[in-house]
């Protein structure tokens, strides 16, 4: 059995939702577009899962955070897809792909063929087993990638009120989940191998601000080590976490956020891969001209920096999705994807944004004992990255604009003296 579509989006996450809206805006005909997703719900704003979804009071629940509410656009419910003639094949995993024949085979045994395929398969959470530790299947060990994981995390948290959680990993998931656990009245110890949290992006000065804030909320940090094993009770629940430095942390629950791997396996050997993702050009087109890739799974040229990158953030998923639809449906009207990397997070009462690239020399500015501070990164004499905590909408827009312009910086001391004022007047 099989069906045929003009356009197929493989994956039903953030990028799929934003692409669907763009297809409709550009006048896709009923019956031309199909979305296939392993998840049983239509696309939603994944960032909600580590924030509003985990709140003890008035938590965010579907349908409130379906795409595309995250960028103040229409909220696409199942009814919207139906009204716009988009075929949804959800709760269905694609188990193999044949880009030469232009077909996908689903786990239910259906062959779906396409004229144009958009790969939006995102990524999967890395498992502890991949680092040689067993125990991921224990009922009180949680990962967080999709709605099922988030629902499970909420249930485990509810059983642990007043108890102890160990958070493994000091990246985005670790930091956002630790804050949510504290808000749910759970005692948190964070464990990670680096010298400070958010090591991929934060300087040690920025990191100490957040670590001090977390400590003021009762969070403990154990840095420079990793877990080596779990202790289990007779029914297989984790009771303690053993670290490589020899210490042992009693635990009622564990949250693991140790990074992701893009879901490229269906296409290995069929498409060119680079930096762990599917390599695409400025039109988001892969090495096969009928196949495009967007979001976390795509390695695309970042024109500003003259190199390819794979980004794992929602803004790039949204914008690459929008761009790919224009590149497919209005190829003569659209240029190359020209993206300024943008990352953000919100924890407790804090909120930061980062634009550009975090390499080169760093200049910090603002009041690190107050609410608003930031940093600029300068490389080869040009401003290439900006970070701001506690900014207003206008201030965030200003650092984004200044970073995109990549102005020449002759005097770092002067940049430090001007601080946020530099971006506001750039
Ligand atoms: P996404 O992961 O959203 O979707 C992939 C989809 O493909 C899933 O539905 C999956 O089931 C499906 N799929 C995969 N393989 C399949 C197969 N073989 N068959 C069928 N379906 C398949 N970013 C940010 O900038 N700010 C933030 O605050 C956050 N917060 C945040 C919280 C949490 C908990 C997570 C997990 C992630 C974030 N992110 C984030 C990252 C952001 O959510 C991420 O970059 C985007 O979701 C990427 O969108 P994609 O559509 O590429 O993948
Ligand atoms: P991450 O890459 O942000 O952080 C991974 C962390 O794992 C590292 O900081 C390190 O501390 C830790 N680590 C690595 N190996 C380890 C080991 N052996 N033992 C213990 N710790 C180890 O990844 P993540 O936090 O898992 O986030 C997953 C994905 O979700 C990322 O793509 C991220 O961008 C996305 N996300 C983004 C946001 C946001 O942008 N605000 C929020 C949540 C999730």
């Amino acid at each position: 059995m099989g069906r045929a579509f003009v356009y197929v989006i493989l994956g039903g996450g953030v990028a799929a939702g934003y692409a669907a809206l763009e297809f409709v805006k550009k006048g896709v005909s009923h019956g031309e577009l199909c979305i296939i997703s392993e998840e049983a719900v239509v696309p939603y704003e994944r960032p909600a899962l580590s924030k509003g979804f985990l709140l003890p009071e008035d938590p965010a629940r579907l349908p409130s955070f379906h795409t595309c509410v995250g960028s103040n656009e229409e909220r696409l419910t199942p009814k919207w897809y139906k009204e716009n003639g988009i075929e949804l094949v959800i709760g269905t995993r694609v188990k193999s792909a044949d880009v030469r024949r232009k077909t996908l085979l689903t786990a239910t045994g259906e062959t779906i063929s396409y004229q144009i395929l958009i790969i939006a398969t995102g990524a999967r959470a890395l498992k502890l087993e991949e680092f040689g530790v067993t125990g991921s299947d224990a009922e009180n060990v949680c990962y967080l990638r999709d709605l099922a994981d988030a629902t499970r995390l909420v249930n485990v948290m509810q059983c642990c009120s007043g108890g102890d959680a160990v958070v493994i990993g000091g990246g985005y998931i670790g930091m956002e989940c630790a804050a949510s656990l504290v808000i749910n009245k759970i005692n948190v110890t964070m464990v990670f191998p680096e010298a400070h949290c958010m090591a991929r992006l934060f300087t040690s000065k920025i990191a100490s601000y957040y670590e001090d804030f977390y400590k003021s909320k009762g969070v403990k940090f154990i840095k420079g080590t990793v877990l080596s094993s779990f202790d289990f009770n007779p029914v297989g629940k984790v009771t303690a976490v053993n670290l490589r430095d020899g210490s042992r942390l009693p635990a009622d629950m564990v949250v693991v956020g140790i990074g992701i791997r893009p879901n490229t396996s269906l296409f290995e050997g069929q498409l060119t891969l680079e930096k762990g993702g599917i390599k695409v050009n400025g039109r988001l087109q892969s090495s096969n001209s009928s196949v495009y890739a967007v979001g976390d799974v795509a390695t695309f040229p970042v024109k500003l920096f003259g190199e390819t990158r794979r980004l794992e953030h929602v803004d790039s998923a949204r914008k690459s999705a929008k761009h790919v639809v224009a590149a497919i449906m209005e190829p003569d009207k659209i240029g190359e994807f020209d993206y300024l990397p943008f990352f953000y997070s919100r924890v407790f009462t804090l909120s930061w944004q980062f634009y550009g690239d975090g390499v080169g020399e760093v200049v910090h500015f603002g009041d690190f004992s107050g609410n608003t501070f930031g940093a600029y990164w300068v490389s080869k004499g040009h401003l290439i990255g900006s970070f701001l905590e506690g900014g207003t909408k206008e201030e965030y827009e200003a650092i984004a604009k200044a970073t995109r312009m990549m102005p020449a910086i002759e005097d770092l001391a002067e940049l430090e003296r001007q601080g946020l004022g530099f971006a506001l007047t750039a």
Side-chain angles (χ1 to χ4, degrees):
M1 85 175 171
R3 282 181 280 177
F5 297 91
V6 182
Y7 311 109
V8 170
I9 302 174
L10 171 52
V14 172
Y18 280 76
L21 181 62
E22 204 58 22
F23 266 118
V24 168
K25 283 184 182 170
K26 299 232 176 291
V28 74
S29 301
H30 283 218
E32 280 187 342
L33 172 63
C34 168
I35 297 177
I36 313 174
S37 178
E38 192 167 7
E39 290 188 84
V41 294
V42 301
Y44 57 86
E45 302 284 0
R46 201 164 299 282
L49 299 181
S50 53
K51 303 175 189 69
F53 196 89
L54 302 181
L55 291 176
E57 274 166 40
D58 198 19
R61 289 290 178 270
L62 288 176
S64 74
F65 59 96
H66 279 302
T67 58
C68 298
V69 291
S71 61
N72 298 320
E73 295 208 68
E74 229 174 313
R75 185 164 56 95
L76 314 183
T77 58
K79 189 164 159 263
W80 179 89
Y81 291 90
K82 198 164 193 259
E83 282 169 1
N84 286 287
I86 298 171
E87 190 68 25
L88 290 171
V89 182
I90 58 178
T92 306
R93 191 173 60 84
V94 166
K95 62 175 195 183
S96 65
D98 185 334
V99 300
R100 206 173 44 79
R101 291 205 167 90
K102 300 189 181 181
T103 56
L104 304 171
L105 177 63
T106 71
T108 55
E110 183 179 10
T111 299
I112 293 181
S113 55
Y114 59 82
Q115 290 172 34
I116 289 180
L117 175 66
I118 300 175
I119 304 170
T121 45
R124 65 172 181 84
L126 272 171
K127 288 287 174 84
L128 288 170
E129 280 69 9
E130 293 168 77
F131 293 90
V133 176
T134 51
S136 283
D137 294 339
E139 69 182 70
N140 56 344
V141 173
C142 301
Y143 288 82
L144 183 54
R145 182 69 203 176
D146 59 22
L147 189 63
D149 295 337
T151 306
R152 190 164 164 268
L153 175 56
V154 167
N155 291 337
V156 174
M157 277 198 307
Q158 282 168 353
C159 297
C160 282
S161 198
D164 298 317
V166 176
V167 172
I168 309 289
Y172 287 94
I173 291 285
M175 292 301 278
E176 294 187 6
C177 288
S180 297
L181 288 160
V182 168
I183 295 167
N184 280 277
K185 301 197 169 21
I186 296 167
N187 309 309
V188 177
T189 303
M190 292 188 70
V191 179
F192 49 84
E194 297 93 351
H196 61 73
C197 69
M198 294 292 295
R200 281 206 289 170
L201 187 67
F202 287 1
T203 63
S204 60
K205 188 175 168 83
I206 295 174
S208 18
Y209 177 90
Y210 292 95
E211 289 181 13
D212 287 348
F213 191 96
Y214 275 56
K215 284 181 202 161
S216 77
K217 300 281 181 189
V219 175
K220 296 188 188 75
F221 288 89
I222 300 183
K223 304 189 256 187
T225 188
V226 293
L227 86 164
S228 55
S229 66
F230 291 126
D231 288 352
F232 300 94
N233 71 9
V235 292
K237 257 176 112 165
V238 168
T239 54
V241 173
N242 298 306
L243 304 183
R244 202 171 287 167
D245 70 5
S247 50
R248 180 177 175 276
L249 306 169
D252 297 301
M253 65 179 288
V254 175
V255 178
V256 184
I258 54 172
I260 61 168
R261 283 288 175 276
N263 291 318
T264 55
S265 60
L266 293 173
F267 301 96
E268 274 156 30
Q270 301 194 69
L271 301 176
T272 305
L273 303 187
E274 192 174 287
K275 297 181 180 169
I278 294 169
K279 186 181 181 187
V280 292
N281 62 20
R283 309 182 74 76
L284 301 157
Q285 192 172 33
S286 76
S287 53
N288 178 300
S289 61
S290 306
V291 181
Y292 295 73
V294 290
D296 281 10
V297 80
T299 301
F300 63 90
V302 179
K303 278 173 95 173
L304 274 178
F305 306 134
E307 62 176 53
T308 60
R309 298 265 170 101
R310 196 183 58 72
L311 300 175
E312 303 171 353
H313 292 272
V314 75
D315 182 66
S316 117
R318 291 170 179 160
K319 290 186 177 145
S320 59
K322 199 171 165 181
H323 197 92
V324 82
V325 177
I328 291 166
M329 293 192 67
E330 296 175 339
D332 302 331
K333 285 199 200 157
I334 190 97
E336 309 236 299
F337 189 43
D338 184 9
Y339 183 67
L340 172 69
F342 165 43
F343 317 142
Y344 72 90
S345 183
R346 292 191 302 272
V347 285
F348 296 114
T349 50
L350 306 175
S351 175
W352 59 261
Q353 297 193 6
F354 171 91
Y355 294 89
D357 203 5
V359 296
E361 288 180 279
V362 186
V363 166
H364 294 97
F365 62 81
D367 180 6
F368 275 74
S369 56
N371 299 325
T372 307
F373 60 87
Y376 295 122
W377 280 258
V378 176
S379 177
K380 297 182 187 134
H382 289 265
L383 179 85
I384 58 155
S386 307
F387 173 94
L388 182 63
E389 162 64 44
T392 61
K393 187 169 173 282
E394 291 70 29
E395 288 167 342
Y396 286 129
E397 281 167 10
I399 62 161
K401 189 166 153 242
T403 310
R404 181 171 271 285
M405 289 181 343
M406 296 174 84
I409 303 291
E410 275 155 26
D411 185 348
L412 293 181
E414 175 59 15
L415 180 64
E416 185 173 9
R417 197 193 59 74
Q418 289 188 28
L420 187 54
F422 176 83
L424 290 168
T425 53

